[in-house]
Amino acid sequence: MEEEVKKKQMEWPPSKALLIAFIPLLLLLATIPKLYTIYERRQIRKEPAFVVGTISRIETGQTRYRRRIYRAEVRYLINGKSFTEKCRAFHSLTEWQLHSLLEKPLPVIYEKNNPSNGVVLSTEEQFGHFGLTFPDSLIWTSQYFY
């Protein structure tokens, strides 16, 4: 009798066993976007090129924790072809501040052979990702972007 009770205590319900079996797969799926971002940045570091883009519009994203998310869309031209990258702006910006960002220039680093793989350099941290020094001329960005 005691053996049966111990056996029942040791057995997992099928739902828990299935959940435990899928945890590694879920973790892998959660890390794929970050791994892809790391891969893209490495490609840019191999053969970097620079261009100045301009903020063409501000998008209002979904709310997180009751805060709006703003993304600045930066357009840049390479050999006559237009490309777009985005960077995050602070949620606390006023309409006037958002409007004043339009047409402001920002540097973009991109992969020389693949201009669609680019990153807007709007913060000191982003410059650091590529081993670059943050220029004094972009100190103004610290009040708008993170």
Side-chain angles (χ1 to χ4, degrees):
M1 198 63 140
E2 283 181 35
E3 281 183 33
E4 287 180 26
V5 170
K6 283 184 182 179
K7 241 185 181 180
K8 281 189 177 184
Q9 286 177 349
M10 293 176 64
E11 288 180 16
W12 288 23
S15 61
K16 277 190 180 179
L18 189 61
L19 180 65
I20 297 284
F22 279 108
I23 285 177
L25 178 63
L26 292 174
L27 289 174
L28 177 66
L29 290 174
T31 59
I32 286 174
K34 183 64 178 175
L35 293 173
Y36 187 70
T37 300
I38 291 169
Y39 169 78
E40 283 184 321
R41 288 192 177 178
R42 281 190 180 156
Q43 294 303 105
I44 293 171
R45 280 189 207 108
K46 285 180 183 177
E47 286 192 78
F50 299 89
V51 70
V52 175
T54 55
I55 299 173
S56 59
R57 71 182 205 154
I58 306 290
E59 293 179 350
T60 303
Q62 296 176 351
T63 58
R64 278 192 188 170
Y65 310 111
R66 299 183 185 180
R67 295 180 179 170
R68 278 180 261 150
I69 297 172
Y70 296 116
R71 295 205 184 272
E73 189 175 275
V74 178
R75 291 189 188 271
Y76 57 101
L77 290 172
I78 308 293
N79 297 328
K81 190 172 179 187
S82 179
F83 297 94
T84 304
E85 291 295 332
K86 295 180 182 175
C87 59
R88 298 174 299 189
F90 285 120
H91 64 87
S92 58
L93 297 176
T94 64
E95 289 296 321
W96 179 84
Q97 288 172 315
L98 292 169
H99 185 71
S100 70
L101 284 174
L102 293 175
E103 301 304 317
K104 291 275 188 182
L106 287 175
V108 177
I109 185 171
Y110 65 94
E111 185 181 347
K112 190 174 185 177
N113 296 326
N114 181 10
S116 64
N117 180 16
V119 175
V120 178
L121 300 173
S122 59
T123 65
E124 191 170 354
E125 181 184 358
Q126 288 167 330
F127 275 85
H129 285 299
F130 296 98
L132 301 169
T133 304
F134 187 70
D136 291 341
S137 62
L138 289 177
I139 287 177
W140 66 270
T141 62
S142 63
Q143 30 184 333
Y144 294 97
F145 304 104
Y146 68 97

